[in-house]
Amino acid sequence: MIKLKTELKKSSLPDANTVEKLMVLELSVGGHYPEYIAHLIDHWQKQQKPRQLVLVVSPLFLKQHRDVVDLAKKYQPDQVIVITISAAEYEKLKPFDTGINRNLRAWQEFQLLLKYARKFQANHVFIPYFDTLQIALIFNKSLPFTYSGIYFRPSFYYDNLVGHHSSRQDKFQHWREKITLSLVLKKPELKTLFCLDSWAIKYINQLSRESKAVYLPDPVQIHPNSVSNIEQFKSNLGIEASRQVHLLAGGIGKRKGLDKILDSICFLNSELCQRLCFLVVGPIEESYYQECLEKVRQLTSKLPIQIIFKNQHILETEIQKYFQICDVVLAPYQRHVGMSAILTRAAIARKPVLAPNYGLMGEITRRYRLGIAINSTQIPEIAEGLTKFLTESPTTYCDFDLMQQYAEQNTPEKFTSIIFQHI
C-alpha cells in the first residue's frame, strides 16, 4: 500500500514516541535525486525496528518517476509513504531562471520543508540537495527536528588541486562559501553534511570544531538488461559500421558543452570525420536543440561526420546500454563544480572519458586515469582530445584497473550504508 496525499491528517499519524520518522523533501524531478530516493527506499525495508520513511515530492515526480513510486508499494503499509505537495504549492514555486528566482525558490522549499516536517512530526529530515537551503537554515533560530543533507558543490578548496588557479571572482566566491559553511556547521540541528567530493571533506571539517562532514559515494545502479547484440543495437540507432561512437548522455544543456563539441569538428580532417559518430542521448531544451541542429546541418554538408540525436528522456534502467555500445564517453562540462555520475557510468562500462581538467571531475579523471582531461572551454583542446581517441590506443591514456577500482567505490549499497550510519 502506498499513500499519495496532498494533506496529512494528524489523527492518522503514528505516535511520535514509538516510531522513528525520517522525512525526505525533494521537489526536483531530474538529476541524481530520483535515483537517490530509490536507493533510500530499497535500503529502508532492511531496518528491523519501527521506522517510517516519508517522501515529500512534487506532483510531476509521480508522472516522471513512476518506477520509484512503484518501488515504495513493495513495503509494509505506512513503512514508506509518498506525499505530494499540493498543486497550488507546486504552481507557486519559482523557476530557476534567474539568481533572484533561485533564492526565492530556496526560501519556498524551506517553508514547505518546515510545514511537512511539523505535520508529520519528523525526527530527522534528509535533504538530497543541501546547497540551496543553507542560507534559510542559517537564519532559522531553532527547529523541532535534526537534519542532514548532501552538499554537492564545494569549490572553496580548489586551489589545492593540481593546476588550479582561481580568478579574483573565484576567490570572492570561495570566501562567501567558507563563511556560509562555517555558519551552517555551527547549527546544533545539523547532524551530518554528506559530500560526494572526498577531497573536500578535510577542508570542510577545518571550518568547525566538530567534524560533521562525511564522504558519500555517488551511486550508480546497474540493471541486468544489457545489450545482447551490440552491432544490432547500433544498427537500430542508425550508426554506420566502422565508426567510433562518442557518447554524450544525460540532460543536455550548454553546461554539457555540446555546442563546443560541434564547433571542434571543424578542426578535424575528413579522414578522422569519416571514422567518427557522435551519439547524443537525452532531453535537450528546444531552443538549444534547434541551435545545435543548425550547426549539424552545416557540418554534415561539408564533412563526412555522423551525428545522431536521441532527444528524449531515457529511463535509468535503459541508460547504461548506451554506455555499453559506445567507444568513448564525452563529458566536456563547462566550469563544472562537483561530481558527475557520468564518470562512474563510463568506468563501469570500461570506456574512456573526455573530461574537463577543472575541479573535481578533472581530479578524478587524472587520479584514476579514466581518460583525457582537457580545458573544456577551449575548442581546439576538445578537438585534440577527439583526435587522440581516434588515433591512439586507450592504454596510453587509461588504466583499466584503476577504472574498475573507481567504479567499485560508487555502489548503491555503500551510498545507503553510509547515510544510515550517520543520520
Side-chain angles (χ1 to χ4, degrees), residues 271-404:
E271 182 184 353
L272 292 176
C273 287
Q274 185 67 58
R275 297 163 52 192
L276 182 58
C277 171
F278 285 117
L279 176 60
V280 184
V281 177
I284 311 174
E285 184 185 71
E286 184 59 27
S287 60
Y288 186 52
Y289 182 47
Q290 293 303 322
E291 175 189 329
C292 291
L293 281 181
E294 179 56 34
K295 288 188 177 185
V296 168
R297 281 190 284 269
Q298 294 176 15
L299 288 167
T300 53
S301 67
K302 300 174 183 177
L303 294 166
I305 189 84
Q306 184 177 32
I307 304 170
I308 297 172
F309 287 95
K310 194 172 180 64
N311 181 14
Q312 65 186 67
H313 174 71
I314 307 296
L315 295 175
E316 291 293 334
T317 54
E318 300 293 321
I319 189 64
Q320 196 64 22
K321 290 181 179 180
Y322 296 92
F323 288 81
Q324 185 183 349
I325 63 102
C326 76
D327 299 288
V328 172
V329 175
L330 302 175
Y333 293 10
Q334 304 296 295
R335 300 283 293 180
H336 177 75
V337 175
M339 180 56 180
S340 171
I342 294 295
L343 295 183
T344 308
R345 289 195 176 278
I348 290 169
R350 296 175 65 82
K351 301 300 168 64
V353 297
L354 182 70
N357 59 11
Y358 176 80
L360 178 61
M361 289 183 69
E363 193 70 12
I364 290 172
T365 302
R366 284 189 295 266
R367 294 207 187 192
Y368 290 94
R369 296 201 63 210
L370 301 181
I372 300 171
I374 48 98
N375 182 345
S376 57
T377 66
Q378 299 299 310
I379 292 168
E381 288 201 30
I382 294 176
E384 185 179 345
L386 298 177
T387 301
K388 285 185 178 181
F389 288 127
L390 288 163
T391 59
E392 298 180 15
S393 167
T395 56
T396 63
Y397 43 77
C398 283
D399 184 319
F400 289 98
D401 290 334
L402 286 176
M403 188 182 286
Q404 182 176 351

Side-chain angles (χ1 to χ4, degrees), residues 149 151 181 185 190-195 197 200-206 208 210-216 422:
Y151 184 44
L181 271 175
L185 293 167
L190 174 64
K191 189 169 184 182
T192 306
L193 188 65
F194 298 101
C195 186
D197 184 340
I201 299 302
K202 73 173 183 179
Y203 298 104
I204 295 174
N205 282 330
Q206 286 171 1
S208 173
E210 187 178 355
S211 295
K212 292 185 177 182
V214 172
Y215 169 62
L216 185 68
H422 292 91

Side-chain angles (χ1 to χ4, degrees), residues 212-227:
K212 292 185 177 182
V214 172
Y215 169 62
L216 185 68
D218 191 16
V220 168
Q221 180 71 58
I222 299 302
H223 300 275
N225 54 339
S226 61
V227 178

Side-chain angles (χ1 to χ4, degrees), residues 50-118:
R51 305 179 86 178
Q52 192 170 68
L53 176 63
V54 183
L55 305 172
V56 181
V57 298
S58 71
L60 186 60
F61 187 97
L62 301 186
K63 296 179 180 178
Q64 292 197 10
H65 300 286
R66 193 69 212 181
D67 53 335
V68 178
V69 178
D70 289 343
L71 181 63
K73 292 180 181 180
K74 295 169 56 178
Y75 304 118
Q76 302 171 13
D78 291 335
Q79 186 181 6
V80 179
I81 298 179
V82 179
I83 304 293
T84 63
I85 63 173
S86 70
E89 288 169 336
Y90 184 67
E91 289 298 322
K92 289 179 182 177
L93 290 175
K94 295 291 184 181
F96 295 103
D97 54 351
T98 66
I100 292 175
N101 277 343
R102 284 193 291 272
N103 289 331
L104 291 172
R105 169 67 174 255
W107 183 251
Q108 289 175 315
E109 292 198 9
F110 179 68
Q111 294 302 314
L112 290 170
L113 182 148
L114 287 178
K115 172 185 175 179
Y116 284 92
R118 285 168 174 160

Side-chain angles (χ1 to χ4, degrees), residues 157-165 197 199 203 358-360 363 366-367:
Y157 80 98
Y158 273 12
D159 279 338
N160 295 283
L161 299 179
V162 175
H164 185 86
H165 302 286
D197 184 340
W199 290 287
Y203 298 104
Y358 176 80
L360 178 61
E363 193 70 12
R366 284 189 295 266
R367 294 207 187 192

